[in-house]
Amino acid sequence: MIVNLIILISILAGYILYKYNHSRNQKVILQSKLFKSSLYSSIAIVMVIIIIELLAPKTTISLDNFKLYLNIGTGHSDNALQLALLEPLNVLANLNLIDLSSSVIVAAFWALFINKLLNLNIKWTKQLIFILGGCLMPFLAVPLSVLARTTLPTEFSQSGIGYFFYWVTQYAVISELIILLPTALIILSKKKLEGIEALLYISLTAIGYSFTETLYRPASEIGLLGSWTLLFSFYHVALSNIAIYGLLVYKLDPNRRNWGYTVLYFALSALFSGTINFLYSEGYGVILPFLFVPFLLGWTIILNNVYSNSPKATSAHKSSKDLTMSIVVIFATTLFTFSYLVNRITVQSAHTYELGMIGITVIGFVMGFIIFALNDIDIFPGSWRQLKFNSESPDEGSSILSDFIDMNVIVPQHLIGQIIQLHCPGGNTHLAEFFDFDKGKVVKRFILKKEHTTEYNWYFVKLKNKMNVIDEFRADCIAIKLNNSFASIVHDTHIKCHLRLIKSETDLKAKRISSANFFPYGNIMINGSDYRYE
């Protein structure tokens, strides 16, 4: 007990100290809601564990004591239709108060989290309709799946590749389609569509669906109450967003109005859903936390794209992010406390600490990456990012996973309006012929269109003094992109940037500009340490 507490406190204290020492503005770190929430939550976790250990009974309590024993007629039938209808009733008859409470906590968190993240002024009564509708959907999806399994001429084995195809074709396709339909009908019926509103509706539906479906998987029986419920809830939200994404692209992007996108993304969501259910049912659930990272990166890109093409969302994220992250921290504390308490009174004490460490690892892992994703919401009107798998310039010695994360992590850059100091680095002899040192103002962000790729973090900089260049190029303006997207022009010095000269006929008002309108000219430096600035 003492060793576990020391390890837990050391990890939390070490993380806070690391963030503080590496912060460019330490006062802001200490004053942020996220820091205060993390500190209070850490103290609360330690105190709760101590109290639970002091007051918990020495003997364990059987899980049977928490069953509700609902008086619902159940049984078995050889008739396909009757068997399909009996399947949900068998689950309700064995309903466990602990798993029900866990599902309520997780569903409440996700509903509040999604609502604060998307920051839409939609009445809770309307949102509850989608949540309750989602809660009822498994009672349709499961019977349909059972009916398909017992009536269709296809025969799948109960293990291996055949079982995998069963989960994809006869469960995932049905469940994802049922979750998709209500929001899809709303999208198709509206001429003017607010993309984030559609994401809200389908996410709430998925939350309700997950609430009921997790009752089919009693996590209390394996001692991983909060962590599994949390993981499956996230996957349902992410998968529902993938399923609807193709339809949103069709409605929001005039250049990609192809029904093929709609079918493709729905098929991907069904494939991923079937894979997750197959892994869990075959006893490979330990793999699921590792799939969380690519799913979250993909979900973040979807959020960025829908945000950037929803007019009402331009300021929504910035105003709600700090509060949303605080909610994440507080919820993680509540879920871990509940999970630890249940394990302490229902599992032999020798395993309580082990399960507690697994639980806090999974919960902390999920919550940490969610906060990580929230920091990467970068609203850029008109942009459509893509999930990348091949790096144009991979770092030597880096792993496939780290390259994948680096390629797809979105780093917001708020440079518009900033006054920057520019100078020619020593190695760029061609630039030195007509440019030495000057000030400039960042006036616009634009999308650079290449032959096979699109780059989003390019900026026009209006120079204080004109350059002595030929008439083919603009003398009063240049285009730059930070070499290191994590650099800060406010706090960092000697920042290297890609430089492109702008051809005179280029329309600077356009959002997307072809690379043919620019001429690459090496690097230029911002806030160089070898200059004394005013």
Side-chain angles (χ1 to χ4, degrees), residues 340-372:
Y340 191 90
L341 173 62
V342 170
N343 286 335
R344 183 63 183 85
I345 64 177
T346 61
V347 183
Q348 291 293 331
S349 59
H351 301 290
T352 303
Y353 310 128
E354 178 185 346
L355 293 172
M357 289 301 106
I358 295 174
I360 199 169
T361 300
V362 174
I363 293 171
F365 181 75
V366 173
M367 294 297 111
F369 269 92
I370 287 176
I371 291 175
F372 177 71

Side-chain angles (χ1 to χ4, degrees), residues 223-406:
L224 296 174
L225 187 67
S227 53
W228 287 121
T229 309
L230 179 64
L231 269 178
F232 277 105
S233 297
F234 167 76
Y235 282 132
H236 269 296
V237 171
L239 289 169
S240 69
N241 284 205
I242 294 173
I244 202 73
Y245 183 64
L247 188 55
L248 289 175
V249 170
Y250 179 87
K251 292 287 287 187
L252 296 174
D253 188 358
N255 298 319
R256 291 194 289 175
R257 288 199 169 160
N258 186 335
W259 285 107
Y261 284 110
T262 304
V263 176
L264 172 64
Y265 282 102
F266 175 78
L268 285 174
S269 70
L271 177 63
F272 294 148
S273 177
T275 302
I276 290 169
N277 282 284
F278 169 75
L279 290 174
Y280 182 85
S281 64
E282 288 289 274
Y284 299 111
V286 68
I287 299 175
L288 297 184
F290 297 97
L291 297 178
F292 177 79
V293 176
F295 267 92
L296 184 64
L297 290 174
W299 184 54
T300 305
I301 290 175
I302 289 175
L303 286 177
N304 270 280
N305 288 345
V306 177
Y307 259 120
S308 297
N309 291 276
S310 298
K312 294 181 182 178
T314 53
S315 62
H317 175 71
K318 187 177 181 181
S319 62
S320 65
K321 184 178 70 173
D322 202 22
L323 175 61
T324 308
M325 288 193 290
S326 298
I327 291 171
V328 169
V329 173
I330 294 169
F331 162 77
T333 306
T334 304
L335 185 61
F336 172 76
T337 301
F338 178 74
S339 179
Y340 191 90
L341 173 62
V342 170
N343 286 335
R344 183 63 183 85
I345 64 177
T346 61
V347 183
Q348 291 293 331
S349 59
H351 301 290
T352 303
Y353 310 128
E354 178 185 346
L355 293 172
M357 289 301 106
I358 295 174
I360 199 169
T361 300
V362 174
I363 293 171
F365 181 75
V366 173
M367 294 297 111
F369 269 92
I370 287 176
I371 291 175
F372 177 71
L374 286 175
N375 280 320
D376 295 333
I377 298 295
D378 181 27
I379 299 172
F380 187 14
S383 65
W384 290 93
R385 300 175 186 271
Q386 295 179 344
L387 195 65
K388 298 178 181 178
F389 295 94
N390 296 316
S391 176
E392 294 180 358
S393 54
D395 295 330
E396 186 176 351
S398 61
S399 66
I400 295 175
L401 179 60
S402 63
D403 284 341
F404 176 77
I405 293 174
D406 289 341

